[in-house]
Amino acid sequence: MKTLSIILAGEDRDLAQVLDEIKKIKTAQIHVELVALPSLKDELNRIRPQLVIYGANSNAESVEQQIRSTKQSFANLPWAVVSDGTNVDTILNFFRMGAIDVLKNPVEFQDVKRLIEKLVELDNRNNQNGKDEKRKLVAVFSTKGGVGSTTIAVNLAVELAKQKVGKILLLDLVLQHGNVADFLDVLPQYTLMDTIENFERLDSNLLENSLVKHELGFYVLPCPKEPEEGDFITSQEMSEIFYFFKANFNYVIADLGHEFTKTTISYLDIADSILLVTTPDVPSLYNTRSAFNTLKKLGYGPEKVKIILNRHKMKGEIDPSVIQKTLQTSLFSRLVDDPVNCLAAANLGKALLATAKGSELAKGFHELGTLIIGEPSKKEKNHVPS
Ligand SMILES: Nc1ncnc2c1ncn2[C@@H]1O[C@H](COP(=O)(O)OP(=O)(O)OP(=O)(O)O)[C@@H](O)[C@H]1O
Ligand SMILES: [Mg+2]
């Protein structure tokens, strides 16, 4: 029998009856947790439930606010609410906001049973759709400048858009002088700072309409116009924004630049894959080894951190086998050295995949994209056992 995971969010006194009735259900195995509203988001990230039931008797207004804010980060998470049921407008309002059910107080067994049946049906449907719907956050990172992080982030976004795997967002998280916009010759009108300032009223439509849509079919969110703007963003705000992006895009590819900052660490924490870029020379290799160890200490193991060897076959390169031995891990992808096509693309403000389609480097990006698509995302890894 499948286990369903449900969070009851709010005051104990509003939800005790629901808890009792859920325990009587015999047709499904249900794991329930009571969670106070302030810790709801953290618990949602930890537990990844199939349903949230809010208790709205005591303070309907603050519950409404909480629902709106949770919906931004967990757009597809079904939710229901327990309300005192005296005010029709309140009930209608919850349905308009997207509730799958509104349970009247005092809650009865039949109502809870109906809700669980609805949930099982929804869950089955989602599992069906989920087979071809992935959501992944990918970080492109290195602790050494000039190794090709931006080139890789840009061309990976292009490749994923070409492979038509849903909505793609290319995110520039190099808050001090990021240059993704220059690589693609797009005007950074709406930046990460604007997203943060408008976050309370932001929904997927507004976000999509605000972002630059590149002619090759992916969305771009450039870094703030003024470098110091990024300093005012807290880690908590960053995490919420990144979850919001994950809820709204199938793949988010972020150029993280070269430093461990509160922004990059917030993203690395949530990322499904970290592409750690190195080049085949001694300074870069030592740098990568130290970054790889730091990432390990931060808790990101080899299943998450993938080494990308860029500028492979460059004149005088260290043999890849030596690189693997030094890092004690295998290379996830090799991208060949191609200064001529890279320079030409940069000068045109176009992605190399658009200007040098048949090149060996373009093939390398194609293979990298295919590997990323083939990798299971976090959600699949942590799927609820049936
Ligand atoms: N595979 C490659 N072959 C040849 N040149 C490359 C390759 N990848 C990147 N380059 C070139 O190396 C330079 C640095 O690339 P890029 O800006 O992508 O690196 P970065 O790590 O983002 O640098 P920064 O420190 O400026 O952020 C650019 O001139 C780019 O065209
Ligand atoms: Mg860069």
Side-chain angles (χ1 to χ4, degrees), residues 2 41 84 111 196 254 351 367:
K2 176 162 184 140
K41 276 197 182 159
D84 62 15
D111 296 336
I196 289 161
E367 279 165 23

Side-chain angles (χ1 to χ4, degrees), residues 144-151 172 174 177-180 183 255-258:
K144 186 172 181 302
V147 294
S149 306
T150 308
T151 304
D172 193 345
V174 187
H177 313 292
N179 56 355
V180 162
F183 266 64
D255 178 6
L256 256 59
H258 312 298

Side-chain angles (χ1 to χ4, degrees), residues 83-91 104-105:
S83 169
D84 62 15
T86 48
N87 187 336
V88 179
D89 283 344
T90 313
I91 296 173
K104 269 196 228 152
N105 225 8

Side-chain angles (χ1 to χ4, degrees), residues 131-188:
K131 285 193 178 125
D132 34 43
E133 168 110 329
K134 284 189 178 175
R135 293 189 185 275
K136 272 192 204 175
L137 295 188
V138 179
V140 185
F141 184 63
S142 80
T143 46
K144 186 172 181 302
V147 294
S149 306
T150 308
T151 304
I152 293 170
V154 166
N155 285 288
L156 181 56
V158 176
E159 176 58 35
L160 294 179
K162 267 178 60 190
Q163 296 208 27
K164 306 222 178 307
V165 283
K167 276 199 290 177
I168 317 292
L169 174 65
L170 173 61
L171 178 59
D172 193 345
L173 284 184
V174 187
L175 301 186
Q176 311 282 332
H177 313 292
N179 56 355
V180 162
D182 301 333
F183 266 64
L184 293 165
D185 199 19
V186 293
L187 267 183

Side-chain angles (χ1 to χ4, degrees), residues 48-289:
R48 302 254 154 202
Q50 278 91 8
L51 176 73
V52 182
I53 305 177
Y54 295 92
N57 294 331
S58 312
N59 191 345
E61 230 168 77
S62 79
V63 171
E64 260 189 57
Q65 265 177 15
Q66 179 72 45
I67 293 170
R68 282 185 213 284
S69 136
T70 310
K71 273 179 63 179
Q72 290 185 330
S73 311
F74 301 90
N76 301 319
L77 174 64
W79 59 277
V81 66
V82 180
S83 169
D84 62 15
T86 48
N87 187 336
V88 179
D89 283 344
T90 313
I91 296 173
L92 271 179
N93 191 35
F94 282 128
F95 276 119
R96 277 193 208 107
M97 285 169 70
I100 63 163
D101 211 342
V102 178
L103 304 177
K104 269 196 228 152
N105 225 8
V107 177
E108 287 180 10
F109 176 69
Q110 282 310 321
D111 296 336
V112 173
K113 191 168 162 263
R114 187 192 62 223
L115 173 60
I116 301 298
E117 281 164 5
K118 212 184 270 182
L119 179 62
V120 171
E121 198 187 305
L122 258 177
D123 193 57
N124 287 342
R125 218 182 300 156
N126 284 346
N127 284 345
Q128 209 50 40
N129 295 338
K131 285 193 178 125
D132 34 43
E133 168 110 329
K134 284 189 178 175
R135 293 189 185 275
K136 272 192 204 175
L137 295 188
V138 179
V140 185
F141 184 63
S142 80
T143 46
K144 186 172 181 302
V147 294
S149 306
T150 308
T151 304
I152 293 170
V154 166
N155 285 288
L156 181 56
V158 176
E159 176 58 35
L160 294 179
K162 267 178 60 190
Q163 296 208 27
K164 306 222 178 307
V165 283
K167 276 199 290 177
I168 317 292
L169 174 65
L170 173 61
L171 178 59
D172 193 345
L173 284 184
V174 187
L175 301 186
Q176 311 282 332
H177 313 292
N179 56 355
V180 162
D182 301 333
F183 266 64
L184 293 165
D185 199 19
V186 293
L187 267 183
Q189 282 156 341
Y190 188 89
T191 73
L192 186 64
M193 267 319 285
D194 301 304
T195 314
I196 289 161
E197 273 163 20
N198 295 316
F199 192 50
E200 279 305 309
R201 61 187 188 89
L202 206 60
D203 58 21
S204 38
N205 279 342
L206 184 58
L207 176 68
E208 258 178 51
N209 292 334
S210 312
L211 295 174
V212 177
K213 182 150 190 201
H214 191 271
E215 58 187 13
L216 296 173
F218 56 94
Y219 293 87
V220 187
L221 187 55
C223 63
K225 280 171 260 179
E226 305 298 330
E228 65 276 11
E229 280 186 80
D231 295 345
F232 300 104
I233 310 169
T234 66
S235 305
Q236 177 65 25
E237 282 172 322
M238 281 297 178
S239 299
E240 286 188 19
I241 298 265
F242 298 149
Y243 277 118
F244 177 65
F245 291 156
K246 190 165 184 175
N248 285 285
F249 292 90
N250 296 88
Y251 289 87
V252 180
I253 311 298
D255 178 6
L256 256 59
H258 312 298
E259 281 174 49
F260 287 103
T261 64
K262 61 181 185 219
T263 304
T264 53
I265 292 178
S266 304
Y267 190 91
L268 290 169
D269 260 344
I270 302 171
D272 296 273
S273 299
I274 301 169
L275 307 183
L276 183 61
V277 185
T278 191
T279 46
D281 54 280
V282 171
S284 177
L285 181 56
Y286 282 170
N287 214 287
T288 306
R289 185 170 63 182

